[in-house]
Amino acid sequence: MAYNDKNTKPAHSERDFVNETIDIYTRYSKKRDTWAQEAKEDREFRLGKQWTTEQVETLESRGQAAIVVNRIHPAVETAKAMITANRPSFRCSPREDSDKKVANVMSALLSYVYDISDGRSIIRKVVDDYYVMGVGYMQVYQDPMKDMGKGEVCLHDIDPLDVYVDPNSQHKFFDDAENIIISRLFTKDQAKKLYPMYKKDIDSSNSEQDWNAPHTGRNFDGTVHFPEDVGTLDNTNYVRGYERYYKKHVPEFRVFESFSGKEDVLNDKDYEEYTKRPAWIIQGNILTDENQAVELIKQMQQQEEMRQMQESMQTEAEMRQAGLPPSAVVPDPAPVKLDVQEVTFADLIEKKIIEVVQVLMCRIHQCVVIGDKLLYKRILPLENYPIVPFINIHTRTPYPVSDVRLVKGMQEYINKTRSLIIAHATTSTNTKILVPEGSVDMAEFEQKWAQPGVAIPYDPTDGPPVAVQPSPLPNELYQNEQSAKNDIDHQLGIYEMMQGNTSAAPQTYKATISLDEFGQRKIKSKLADIEAALTRVAQVAIPLVQELYNTRKVFRIVNPNNSLSEYAINQRLYDDKTGEVQVMNDITIGKYDVVCVAGSTLPTNRYAELEFYKDAFQLGLIDRQEVLKKTEVFDAEGVQQR
């Protein structure tokens, strides 16, 4: 949760709104109890808590160890490393011709937002939740305290167990959800640091100790901790926070300027300011900039004076040819009169030059509740929720299935098989002896049996002691364990050769490259989910960027070749000749479509890529500079300049 300075705190129905929010949280929480328990169990299972308490007690009573051969964790880490090998690449395309010049700047700005938020770490955590719990969440928000108080648009990952979604939602990005709530416990000191303007409300809010954490029944050995485990270790005064998002239709005005081709949607306040803007109608031409209007009037006056002068000179020439005195016939030049009207946009609307249609637009409302106190509410400039889910196996519910859940049976089989193998090895190294009853003193016999080179007397009447060896385990058992490990890898789209297993690699270099590319086909299906969600993140970020970055700002991004690019947005420039003030790279206007470049985060085989570029260079298709870009030369840019 993050405080934003653009907020309003309503005085009416505050208590009712808080009760409604808490009631929605309670209903959503009950509906997702089963999924939350399974999701937490998947998370625990991945981290090694793979035996239940009852199973551990049973094994210990048999003298067996609860061994965990964790194959899931390295498989998840390998898949996560592959799918986040490279940083994502965003491309913005304008919806209008007038937006083309700032589309590239907007693409760079999205990369800037990704960098300042430590996007690499965030996307790794989100992908981890995607594989383990079935869904990862990334939040886009405005942090007004960053950049010396000017604010930044940032990204953040959210614990899936802290997100409560409308159970009736079927859309992959929860577009049809009535509400989405982020709720977790804070200490009051934490809450006051997050929302420093509402310290009094936080101090007077009610406390809570219920972490609402599901119990899985897995054996707790103290090696793995989660927030609810740490929180119960002390008696700190906690308070529950609710960050609620819901959709509401807001009346707005869609305007279309026939003279410029621009189209926009304005709220009541912006529309009122829009109608007061000045405009000039000059000889039928409509201008909205005063400096341009003055310049055009001067040009048209000069053109008219020039035209009259040319007509006067032509008339004088004709009079001279006719033998008449020019001064007796040629009139003095008439003063230049232009048809200039100074109007407002309201006048243009009345004349139907600007078309206006009142529409209902869906907007995201945000409210923050701490304990039983409503801190603030605000309307975001968004149509989609700023909480973007990265869903793995979508079941058309807010409760997806993870890859870990699909391979838990295989992992349990591996653990039980390994436990049996260890138990068999223990039995084989400790020989069992069948002794006729009453023929020896068992305490003395066991003591002397453990000592080498000691004679053990016995009564041969009932027969000699007989050593018993356990039956050897079949080789099939060991093969089944290896097969189960391979099944887990294949479920996650990871193959042995992709993990560097030389025994599974072909003999030739190019065959290895080809198989590596073919092996990525399944994981590319996962990548499609990740890229679709990243595209939605960018689409949500653009309106927040346009709202927050409304003044001059200079930002820098590091390119893949280690070069630094600098951009300036909303920069006001003064033209000495015309006196006109222009805004360069004005990102506050325009609409953009965003795509995440396919395959942008998957790893690339740098040797194969370099070979490809070298072959193209030898064929004369590209120059040596393009080849140099694909090498690992540190100062490639400097080499190109030299």
Side-chain angles (χ1 to χ4, degrees):
M1 290 193 243
Y3 160 74
N4 193 286
D5 57 348
K6 295 184 178 180
N7 63 80
T8 55
K9 184 175 178 181
H12 63 283
S13 304
E14 182 175 315
R15 183 70 245 175
D16 294 339
F17 189 85
V18 170
N19 291 337
E20 179 188 25
T21 300
I22 296 175
D23 179 63
I24 292 173
Y25 157 77
T26 304
R27 287 191 288 111
Y28 289 5
S29 177
K30 290 180 180 178
K31 286 288 186 180
R32 65 152 227 181
D33 274 348
T34 302
W35 176 85
Q37 182 177 356
E38 293 174 346
K40 185 181 179 184
E41 184 175 331
D42 294 342
R43 184 162 65 178
E44 293 179 347
F45 203 90
R46 176 268 184 96
L47 294 176
K49 295 175 67 173
Q50 299 177 0
W51 296 95
T52 64
T53 303
E54 183 180 355
Q55 288 172 337
V56 171
E57 292 175 353
T58 302
L59 289 174
E60 290 178 348
S61 66
R62 297 174 182 172
Q64 299 180 14
I67 297 296
V68 173
V69 184
N70 197 341
R71 185 68 173 187
I72 291 180
H73 176 68
V76 169
E77 288 297 312
T78 303
K80 185 171 68 174
M82 289 188 62
I83 212 165
T84 61
N86 295 319
R87 58 176 294 163
S89 179
F90 301 102
R91 293 291 183 269
C92 293
S93 57
R95 296 183 185 177
E96 299 177 358
D97 293 341
S98 60
D99 303 332
K100 285 183 178 179
K101 58 184 179 181
V102 293
N104 291 334
V105 178
M106 188 63 74
S107 301
L109 195 52
L110 291 176
S111 297
Y112 170 76
V113 170
Y114 182 86
D115 288 341
I116 63 173
S117 304
D118 190 15
R120 185 174 181 83
S121 299
I122 292 174
I123 192 65
R124 283 179 56 82
K125 184 58 182 172
V126 170
V127 171
D128 190 280
D129 292 335
Y130 167 89
Y131 271 105
V132 176
M133 304 178 72
V135 60
Y137 287 99
M138 186 179 292
Q139 183 180 15
V140 190
Y141 67 98
Q142 297 171 337
D143 189 339
M145 301 179 189
K146 287 193 172 183
D147 194 16
M148 297 182 292
K150 291 184 289 187
E152 296 280 14
V153 174
C154 302
L155 308 176
H156 181 60
D157 60 277
I158 311 174
D159 187 343
L161 293 180
D162 291 340
V163 182
Y164 300 81
V165 183
D166 179 7
N168 298 310
S169 174
Q170 296 187 16
H171 193 271
K172 191 170 185 178
F173 294 122
F174 306 149
D175 287 350
D176 56 347
E178 185 180 356
N179 295 272
I180 296 180
I181 295 178
I182 304 174
S183 180
R184 53 166 288 203
L185 289 188
F186 300 91
T187 64
K188 288 194 173 182
D189 290 337
Q190 281 180 317
K192 285 187 285 189
K193 288 180 180 179
L194 282 173
Y195 308 103
M197 295 184 66
Y198 304 100
K199 292 182 179 180
K200 293 182 179 179
D201 289 336
I202 294 172
D203 282 330
S204 62
S205 61
N206 61 347
S207 301
E208 186 174 341
Q209 296 291 332
D210 182 15
W211 285 82
N212 194 23
H215 180 67
T216 63
R218 295 285 165 178
N219 186 52
F220 179 70
D221 56 4
T223 58
V224 180
H225 289 87
F226 296 107
E228 59 271 17
D229 302 321
V230 178
T232 55
L233 299 178
D234 54 34
N235 295 320
T236 305
N237 190 14
Y238 288 95
V239 61
R240 180 165 288 280
Y242 310 87
E243 187 172 357
R244 176 184 170 189
Y245 296 89
Y246 59 97
K247 291 186 175 182
K248 192 173 181 181
H249 286 89
V250 177
E252 294 189 350
F253 298 89
R254 187 176 72 244
V255 298
F256 174 73
E257 300 174 358
S258 59
F259 54 89
S260 66
K262 293 183 178 180
E263 187 175 14
D264 203 355
V265 177
L266 308 173
N267 57 29
D268 290 338
K269 182 180 178 181
D270 293 337
Y271 180 72
E272 184 179 356
E273 295 177 355
Y274 179 81
T275 57
K276 296 178 181 179
R277 291 183 187 176
W280 290 264
I281 304 177
I282 305 173
Q283 301 290 102
N285 298 316
I286 300 176
L287 297 178
T288 58
D289 186 273
E290 183 177 3
N291 294 325
Q292 291 180 356
V294 172
E295 186 67 22
L296 180 60
I297 291 173
K298 288 182 180 179
Q299 292 178 0
M300 295 183 72
Q301 286 178 338
Q302 290 174 357
Q303 291 174 359
E304 182 64 22
E305 290 174 355
M306 184 66 68
R307 186 188 63 81
Q308 292 183 7
M309 185 178 297
Q310 290 175 351
E311 290 181 353
S312 176
M313 292 174 63
Q314 184 177 0
T315 303
E316 287 182 1
E318 292 175 352
M319 293 301 101
R320 286 194 181 96
Q321 291 178 356
L324 299 175
S327 58
V329 180
V330 179
D332 294 332
V336 178
K337 293 184 179 180
L338 298 177
D339 183 12
V340 178
Q341 301 179 46
E342 185 173 354
V343 296
T344 63
F345 275 39
D347 298 325
L348 298 179
I349 293 172
E350 186 177 352
K351 295 178 179 180
K352 305 297 184 181
I353 298 175
I354 298 178
E355 299 177 10
V356 178
V357 179
Q358 190 167 8
V359 294
L360 287 177
M361 295 295 297
C362 184
R363 289 289 179 258
I364 302 298
H365 288 58
Q366 176 195 21
C367 73
V368 173
V369 176
I370 293 292
D372 57 349
K373 302 294 184 181
L374 174 63
L375 300 191
Y376 69 87
K377 294 176 67 177
R378 65 171 296 209
I379 300 177
L380 300 175
L382 302 175
E383 300 177 10
N384 300 313
Y385 287 111
I387 303 164
V388 180
F390 290 63
I391 292 183
N392 193 341
I393 303 174
H394 189 221
T395 60
R396 288 189 171 84
T397 67
Y399 315 121
V401 180
S402 69
D403 287 307
V404 170
R405 196 172 308 170
L406 297 179
V407 299
K408 280 164 63 176
M410 287 293 178
Q411 179 64 61
E412 289 177 332
Y413 172 75
I414 292 172
N415 292 339
K416 291 176 182 177
T417 301
R418 185 62 64 89
S419 181
L420 287 174
I421 293 173
I422 293 176
H424 182 271
T426 304
T427 304
S428 300
T429 55
N430 293 276
T431 306
K432 301 296 186 292
I433 305 298
L434 297 180
V435 180
E437 188 173 359
S439 62
V440 296
D441 181 357
M442 291 303 300
E444 182 183 3
F445 180 82
E446 291 176 354
Q447 181 181 2
K448 291 184 177 181
W449 184 262
Q451 301 174 5
V454 178
I456 304 175
Y458 72 98
D459 184 358
T461 305
D462 298 326
V466 179
V468 180
Q469 292 291 342
S471 301
L473 292 175
N475 292 333
E476 189 71 20
L477 186 65
Y478 299 94
Q479 294 177 2
N480 288 346
E481 181 183 351
Q482 185 60 39
S483 297
K485 292 179 179 179
N486 292 337
D487 290 340
I488 292 176
D489 292 343
H490 293 174
Q491 174 62 42
L492 271 70
I494 305 299
Y495 300 95
E496 293 180 353
M497 192 197 71
M498 299 164 68
Q499 300 181 61
N501 188 347
T502 56
S503 63
Q507 297 298 321
T508 63
Y509 165 72
K510 290 192 175 180
T512 302
I513 294 174
S514 299
L515 282 181
D516 181 59
E517 182 179 353
F518 294 153
Q520 292 184 12
R521 285 182 176 178
K522 182 171 184 179
I523 207 168
K524 282 182 179 179
S525 174
K526 304 290 187 185
L527 179 66
D529 297 336
I530 304 300
E531 288 182 346
L534 285 173
T535 300
R536 172 58 66 91
V537 168
Q539 291 170 347
V540 170
I542 285 178
L544 295 178
V545 162
Q546 291 178 318
E547 181 189 57
L548 184 63
Y549 299 149
N550 52 19
T551 58
R552 181 181 181 275
K553 182 180 182 67
V554 177
F555 63 93
R556 300 167 182 85
I557 60 170
V558 178
N559 299 320
N561 61 355
N562 295 323
S563 62
L564 194 68
S565 296
E566 182 175 290
Y567 298 88
I569 58 175
N570 302 327
Q571 187 173 13
R572 301 179 67 86
L573 299 178
Y574 181 77
D575 192 332
D576 294 333
K577 293 183 178 180
T578 63
E580 182 180 352
V581 177
Q582 296 181 342
V583 179
M584 301 298 295
N585 295 333
D586 186 0
I587 65 164
T588 62
I589 59 174
K591 304 292 183 182
Y592 304 91
D593 294 320
V594 184
V595 294
C596 191
V597 179
S600 57
T601 62
L602 276 182
T604 54
N605 191 311
R606 59 184 184 275
Y607 300 111
E609 192 174 36
L610 180 58
E611 287 290 332
F612 174 82
Y613 273 74
K614 286 169 62 178
D615 292 342
F617 170 68
Q618 292 173 356
L619 293 174
L621 301 178
I622 58 176
D623 57 18
R624 58 183 183 178
Q625 290 188 3
E626 289 299 318
V627 181
L628 186 62
K629 291 178 182 178
K630 297 300 177 182
T631 66
E632 293 190 356
V633 176
F634 179 76
D635 189 20
E637 187 178 4
V639 173
Q640 291 179 21
Q641 292 176 354
R642 292 192 295 271

